[in-house]
Amino acid sequence: MIVGAGQAGGRAAEALRAAGHRGPLTLLGEERHPPYERPQLSKAILLDDVAAPAFMRPDADWPALGIDLVVGAAAVDGDLGQRRVGLADGREYAFDKLLIATGTRPRRLEPLEEGPLPVLYLRDLDDALVLRCALAPGRRVVLIGGGVIGLEVAAAAVGRGCTVTVVEAAPRLMPHVGSASLSRFMDELHRDRGVAIRCGVTAMGQTSGGVDLSDGSSVAADIVLIGVGVEPALGLARALGLGDGQGIGVDATGATAADGIYAAGDVALQWSRCHGRALRLENWANAQNQAIATARTMAGEAMSYDVPSWFWSDQFDANVQVVGDPGAGEEFVRGDPASGRFAVLSLAGDEIVGGITVNGARDMAVLRRLVAAGKRIALSDWQNPAYDLRQSLKA
Ligand SMILES: Cc1cc2nc3c(=O)[nH]c(=O)nc-3n(C[C@H](O)[C@H](O)[C@H](O)COP(=O)(O)OP(=O)(O)OC[C@H]3O[C@@H](n4cnc5c(N)ncnc54)[C@H](O)[C@@H]3O)c2cc1C
């Protein structure tokens, strides 16, 4: 059984069948939709009035694969000894093995929710459809949080003719990536497109006039969107006696501390070599690939997942990709950020712990392989624009 019919749950269900699991397979999802791709919710779905959701598979595929997909099914209760989970509506399901892939929920800022302005969050398809309607031309939109979600929504809102302000408590945008070069680039990119950026201030509350900030100023607003990170969805895990506040701890096979119980995707707390600690990786590639590896373990294969974190973000005409943990080392830039295309290498000693590309997908393909293989690259080569990065893979 799999609980959570998102990226990880959907891909794990397919992978279980592909790995030869022939027994019953139930996929429980709290949302009313079958599994779909979440990244487009802050991109194509917002930018394009007629963009349709990207469902993982046509509806008919799930039963054809022998997967009993139950939507609108929130698992709220469970019993490890009796090997069962219970739904909010009282139904019960038995399992032999269980994969928890319940993802995350937006971190709420409750004081900001109180007041006359509509306050939105963006996590699921229904949120995105509401937000798309709200982003009407001329609307003044205040985005709380200058991370990936806030900035992608900022770009989409500008595209829809809104007036946009981003409020970020940290001194710079995309602070969690840990790269001063990337933060500077993002700041310029957004300001050039007309986004007002307020870093180093906190949103305190709202009035009919707008959002009040910690420096005593206020920003006029018609809508507020909060994108200040996420929290793991741990309701079922807690009912089963698993998961601390950080997530559900798993080993490299996806197994939790409880026999026959696994976790995958955003909710799984796993060791990351680049970060040097256990953490939840909140990105599409991890949700898909760690879930597939875990499903294969569940089907009896000896799998071990140790792939550096990688994610992308699209904002205006910039495609940003990040591998590993750029904040863990000293950064060295290749190329000229003013050209709109550059890369960042992050070194701790001579170990590559992270990398970033902006509009440089080919360079990222090399960086991902360098980080994964623990290879080295001479700084003189990295900083030489004539050097073909692919050469470094041969060393
Ligand atoms: C707007 C947006 C844009 C993104 N863009 C990018 C991007 O550009 N690049 C990138 O790398 N990553 C991106 N991500 C992150 C990526 O989509 C996530 O990392 C990925 O979806 C995580 O997959 P998951 O299956 O672990 O969790 P989710 O996709 O969140 O799926 C979990 C599912 O479990 C359900 N669930 C929760 N609790 C229960 C329960 N008790 N019972 C039943 N069901 C339950 C939830 O309703 C949800 O449907 C984006 C995320 C969002 C929200």
Side-chain angles (χ1 to χ4, degrees):
M1 164 170 305
I2 300 172
V3 175
Q7 192 73 36
R11 292 298 181 213
E14 295 173 341
L16 274 165
R17 283 294 182 232
H21 171 67
R22 294 191 197 288
L25 177 49
T26 304
L27 175 57
L28 300 177
E30 177 179 64
E31 293 182 59
R32 62 191 174 98
H33 307 287
Y36 58 87
E37 301 283 345
R38 230 164 269 275
Q40 58 144 215
L41 301 184
S42 47
K43 306 176 184 70
I45 290 276
L46 296 184
L47 280 163
D48 178 352
D49 273 331
V50 293
F55 289 108
M56 207 175 272
R57 285 178 167 274
D59 286 359
D61 276 16
W62 299 106
L65 281 169
I67 296 168
D68 182 17
L69 170 64
V70 189
V71 296
V76 293
D77 189 21
D79 189 309
L80 269 187
Q82 294 179 13
R83 310 300 268 183
R84 61 160 191 85
V85 298
L87 303 191
D89 62 13
R91 278 178 288 171
E92 293 208 336
Y93 288 82
F95 64 83
D96 296 313
K97 289 184 183 176
L98 171 66
L99 175 67
I100 305 177
T102 46
T104 55
R105 303 188 195 286
R107 184 171 295 128
R108 287 177 59 185
L109 290 182
E110 285 173 19
L112 265 175
E113 293 174 13
E114 287 161 24
L117 298 175
V119 174
L120 307 178
Y121 294 87
L122 176 57
R123 181 68 197 173
D124 62 29
L125 177 54
D126 293 342
D127 295 338
L129 297 176
V130 169
L131 180 60
R132 179 161 83 182
C133 286
L135 298 179
R139 286 262 170 90
R140 297 164 302 175
V141 183
V142 174
L143 299 161
I144 313 295
V148 167
I149 296 290
L151 294 179
E152 289 192 348
V153 174
V158 167
R160 296 182 70 87
C162 301
T163 302
V164 181
T165 303
V166 172
V167 176
E168 166 57 54
R172 62 192 203 204
L173 297 178
M174 292 184 73
H176 297 107
V177 175
S179 162
S181 309
L182 181 68
S183 294
R184 244 185 333 265
F185 175 81
M186 283 301 157
D187 198 273
E188 281 171 22
L189 175 76
H190 281 263
R191 285 184 201 274
D192 282 355
R193 306 303 170 98
V195 178
I197 307 283
R198 301 289 310 273
C199 285
V201 284
T202 310
M204 308 296 287
Q206 54 145 300
T207 62
S208 56
V211 176
D212 296 333
L213 304 183
S214 52
D215 64 357
S217 65
S218 84
V219 185
D222 300 307
I223 317 159
V224 180
L225 180 113
I226 297 178
V228 293
V230 293
E231 288 170 351
L234 291 173
L236 174 64
R238 287 216 172 93
L240 292 168
L242 292 167
D244 59 19
Q246 306 299 310
I248 306 173
V250 295
D251 65 17
T253 72
T256 70
D259 185 37
I261 314 289
Y262 301 78
D266 280 12
V267 79
L269 188 67
Q270 57 188 308
W271 173 256
S272 162
R273 179 169 47 85
C274 293
H275 295 80
R277 63 192 164 94
L279 77 167
R280 289 182 305 96
L281 297 174
E282 297 161 5
N283 62 60
W284 178 93
N286 175 71
Q288 170 157 298
N289 298 325
Q290 189 244 344
I292 290 172
T294 302
R296 290 172 63 182
T297 299
M298 292 171 77
E301 291 182 36
M303 292 297 298
S304 179
Y305 185 78
D306 174 22
V307 179
S309 155
W310 167 74
F311 72 88
W312 80 94
S313 171
D314 294 314
Q315 300 169 32
F316 298 110
D317 50 7
N319 169 258
V320 179
Q321 300 193 29
V322 178
V323 63
D325 181 13
E330 188 182 352
E331 63 176 30
F332 298 91
V333 175
R334 176 181 164 95
D336 180 6
S339 71
R341 179 165 186 238
F342 67 103
V344 175
L345 183 75
S346 178
L347 294 178
D350 61 355
E351 186 190 347
I352 305 174
V353 287
I356 300 169
T357 57
V358 173
N359 291 327
R362 274 201 203 153
D363 288 351
M364 179 50 70
V366 177
L367 276 171
R368 288 176 72 183
R369 289 174 64 188
L370 287 174
V371 176
K375 292 218 176 214
R376 309 276 188 261
I377 180 170
L379 259 187
S380 52
D381 289 338
W382 173 254
Q383 288 171 328
N384 173 5
Y387 179 75
D388 181 347
L389 280 186
R390 286 172 300 182
Q391 293 298 322
S392 59
L393 294 169
K394 295 182 184 146

